[in-house]
Amino acid sequence: MTEEQAGAVPEPAAADKSGQGVVAAFGQSLKTLRLRAKMEREEVGKRLGYSASTIASFEQGRRIPPPRAIDRADEVLEAGGLLTVWKDQLEKAQYPAFFQGMAQLEKRAMELLAYDTLVVNGLLQTEEYMRALVGNHCPPVDAETIEQRVTARLARQDIFDRRPAPLLSFVMCESVLRRKVGGGEVLRGQLEELLLIGQRRNVEIQIMPLASEDNAGLEGPFTFITRDDGKRFVYVEAQGTNTLETDPKQAVLAAARYGIIRSQALTPRESLAFVEKLLGEL
């Protein structure tokens, strides 16, 4: 079938329920509307700020466009909302199935507490750190998947600009800050980013020293979230598996455990000074 023979715009409700099915159906919609408007990919890309090859990747379901690009495409192609109606489904589809529930919780969090022992928390990562991290995935993932995951992770960082601002606390093991994911320059940029984020009034960053004799977090990383309706959740992820705990008793225990971890770690002021010290060693 040629581009000119493309059919009608598919409706979101008729799309495959899987994430890839949603992405593919949106791409077909974008292509159909572009052909209806008698526009080449180069022209659409120029108006949206992308290359023709990127527009092709959107249409072929290999890459998910960010929300602002979807809004702009709807305007440029005079789609009358036929593209923007896909935004919620595409937002979910950009995350692995196991993380979609957690991503939705982050959007409604009034409090988020995270303890990390392996890598910098995704909400704190720089784009370069993200790319290096996803690039280390085993088995390797393709370039389109890397772009999709980086775009999704960057979108999650809107949490820092939300109003009202949620309370955010991050405790991480010292080893996280010494692990040169992506090399020395990537780590340098990441440490500098932590110093900037740590100055936000609603954010506390603390370091758990390797020399500490007491550590209530030796069972591993976890995230504790209080949703805007007061409900509490605990999220744990490791080795491709995850658990989203909704039992109130487990949430209480996780909150208590996090409080102990925070008391055992360096204070926020001491932690930022520690990060500056590490920067001086690079």
Side-chain angles (χ1 to χ4, degrees), residues 184-209:
E185 287 306 307
V186 172
L187 179 58
R188 175 180 292 277
Q190 181 61 73
L191 294 179
E192 291 173 344
E193 179 72 4
L194 292 178
L195 290 176
L196 289 174
I197 297 178
Q199 295 174 14
R200 291 175 175 261
R201 296 181 62 186
N202 65 315
V203 178
E204 285 192 346
I205 293 177
Q206 294 178 252
I207 310 302
M208 177 68 77

Side-chain angles (χ1 to χ4, degrees), residues 29-208:
S29 298
L30 177 63
K31 178 179 177 180
T32 300
L33 290 165
R34 176 177 63 79
L35 293 174
R36 187 185 72 175
K38 296 181 168 54
M39 296 176 67
E40 298 293 330
R41 287 170 176 159
E42 289 80 0
E43 183 179 355
V44 174
K46 184 177 181 180
R47 296 198 186 187
L48 269 62
Y50 294 100
S51 65
S53 62
T54 299
I55 298 301
S57 70
F58 291 159
E59 292 182 351
Q60 294 163 8
R62 294 184 288 110
R63 185 173 173 184
I64 300 176
R68 280 176 288 188
I70 297 174
D71 289 336
R72 180 60 179 151
D74 199 273
E75 294 175 6
V76 168
L77 299 177
E78 298 182 353
L82 290 175
L83 292 179
T84 56
V85 73
W86 289 90
K87 283 169 59 176
D88 287 345
Q89 293 188 58
L90 285 172
E91 180 183 1
K92 294 180 181 178
Q94 68 184 333
Y95 301 109
F98 69 84
F99 192 76
Q100 290 180 5
M102 179 60 176
Q104 293 303 306
L105 283 178
E106 285 182 347
K107 293 175 68 68
R108 295 184 58 186
M110 59 182 292
E111 178 186 55
L112 185 148
L113 317 174
Y115 177 59
D116 292 284
T117 61
L118 299 174
V119 297
V120 174
N121 190 281
L123 294 175
L124 302 173
Q125 292 172 10
T126 64
E127 182 173 346
E128 294 75 17
Y129 189 97
M130 293 176 193
R131 292 186 183 281
L133 195 60
V134 179
N136 270 295
H137 190 276
C138 185
V141 295
D142 55 43
E144 286 79 12
T145 299
I146 292 176
E147 289 300 320
Q148 178 177 322
R149 293 187 180 179
V150 169
T151 298
R153 198 163 297 182
L154 287 171
R156 289 169 54 205
Q157 296 180 352
D158 287 347
I159 193 171
F160 292 108
D161 300 315
R162 189 182 309 159
R163 295 292 180 271
L167 299 175
L168 306 173
S169 172
F170 303 91
V171 179
M172 66 192 80
C173 180
E174 175 186 339
S175 60
V176 171
L177 304 183
R178 293 189 179 275
R179 187 167 292 117
K180 293 186 178 181
V181 176
E185 287 306 307
V186 172
L187 179 58
R188 175 180 292 277
Q190 181 61 73
L191 294 179
E192 291 173 344
E193 179 72 4
L194 292 178
L195 290 176
L196 289 174
I197 297 178
Q199 295 174 14
R200 291 175 175 261
R201 296 181 62 186
N202 65 315
V203 178
E204 285 192 346
I205 293 177
Q206 294 178 252
I207 310 302
M208 177 68 77

Side-chain angles (χ1 to χ4, degrees), residues 204-207 262-273:
E204 285 192 346
I205 293 177
Q206 294 178 252
I207 310 302
R262 183 153 43 179
S263 70
Q264 294 167 335
L266 299 177
T267 67
R269 187 183 299 274
E270 292 170 341
S271 296
L272 294 183

